[in-house]
């Protein structure tokens, strides 16, 4: 059988079949091929159970504040309440180093954190330690921002 005769025979066979499936066509679900159930993979570690603390007691966090650039800082604040704000951490840095609060920026996991945030919003419940990076904005850089704001008004 040549390719040409095969193609002609195949096309005539297709012409005898209906081209559209009617709107009332229903396939019997019993004729579908059987599929095995899909099982989800196991989690790498089980979910942590919430620890119930005694009434009136709260978990505490050890906070490490490090500066990656000048001035070099390595401050550890132990036993911080989860309701401690980022502004309170900046105040603690200022009291120890005399760097103005307006020039400090705190980063958690390389992302900036606003002053209004609280530690329990940032740090997960099972963590007992948190490390923040401290950025100290230069006076020159800060004055450029102030100039830009006043110039665009």
């Amino acid at each position: 059988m040549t390719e040409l005769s095969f193609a002609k025979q195949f096309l005539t066979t297709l012409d005898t079949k209906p081209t559209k499936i009617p709107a009332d066509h229903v396939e019997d679900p019993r004729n579908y091929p059987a599929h095995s159930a899909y099982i989800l993979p196991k989690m790498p570690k089980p979910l942590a159970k919430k620890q119930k603390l005694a009434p009136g007691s709260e978990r505490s966090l050890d906070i490490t504040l490090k500066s990656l650039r000048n001035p070099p800082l390595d401050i550890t604040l132990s036993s911080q309440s989860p309701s401690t704000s980022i502004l309170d951490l900046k105040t603690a840095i200022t009291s120890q180093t005399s760097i103005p609060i307006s020039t400090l920026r705190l980063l958690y996991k390389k992302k900036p954190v606003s002053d209004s945030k609280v530690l329990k919003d940032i740090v997960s419940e099972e963590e007992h330690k948190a490390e923040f990076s401290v950025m100290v904005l230069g006076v020159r850089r800060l004055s450029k921002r102030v100039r830009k704001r006043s110039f665009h008004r």
Side-chain angles (χ1 to χ4, degrees):
M1 186 187 259
T2 65
E3 291 178 2
L4 182 63
S5 61
F6 172 77
K8 286 182 180 178
Q9 183 184 4
F10 181 74
L11 290 174
T12 55
T13 307
L14 284 178
D15 286 340
T16 60
K17 300 199 182 266
T19 55
K20 291 185 179 181
I21 297 176
D24 60 346
H25 175 77
V26 177
E27 186 73 30
D28 187 14
R30 291 176 281 183
N31 295 337
Y32 290 153
H35 293 289
S36 62
Y38 183 75
I39 300 172
L40 294 174
K42 291 186 178 183
M43 293 182 61
K45 67 176 190 174
L47 293 174
K49 294 180 181 178
K50 289 189 177 181
Q51 298 175 350
K52 292 188 179 182
L53 299 172
S57 68
E58 216 174 33
R59 70 183 179 105
S60 63
L61 297 166
D62 294 331
I63 306 297
T64 306
L65 302 162
K66 290 187 178 182
S67 174
L68 303 176
R69 296 187 181 168
N70 288 334
L73 296 173
D74 191 10
I75 301 171
T76 303
L77 303 173
S78 60
S79 301
Q80 295 295 312
S81 167
S83 59
T84 304
S85 69
I86 299 300
L87 186 60
D88 294 339
L89 296 179
K90 285 184 176 182
T91 307
I93 296 170
T94 301
S95 67
Q96 292 185 15
T97 62
S98 70
I99 298 173
I101 291 179
S102 61
T103 60
L104 292 174
R105 298 288 180 266
L106 292 184
L107 306 169
Y108 183 69
K109 295 185 179 177
K110 299 181 181 180
K111 294 183 182 175
V113 183
S114 66
D115 292 346
S116 60
K117 293 278 187 178
V118 180
L119 289 177
K120 66 182 173 186
D121 295 338
I122 301 166
V123 181
S124 64
E125 286 190 24
E126 59 267 359
E127 291 183 56
H128 298 290
K129 295 181 181 179
E131 186 173 320
F132 287 88
S133 299
V134 179
M135 272 181 28
V136 180
L137 300 178
V139 177
R140 187 172 143 198
R141 183 175 173 185
L142 189 64
S143 63
K144 283 182 182 178
R145 286 186 179 180
V146 172
R147 274 190 264 141
K148 283 182 181 178
R149 284 186 193 155
S150 61
F151 184 76
H152 290 294
R153 287 185 184 175

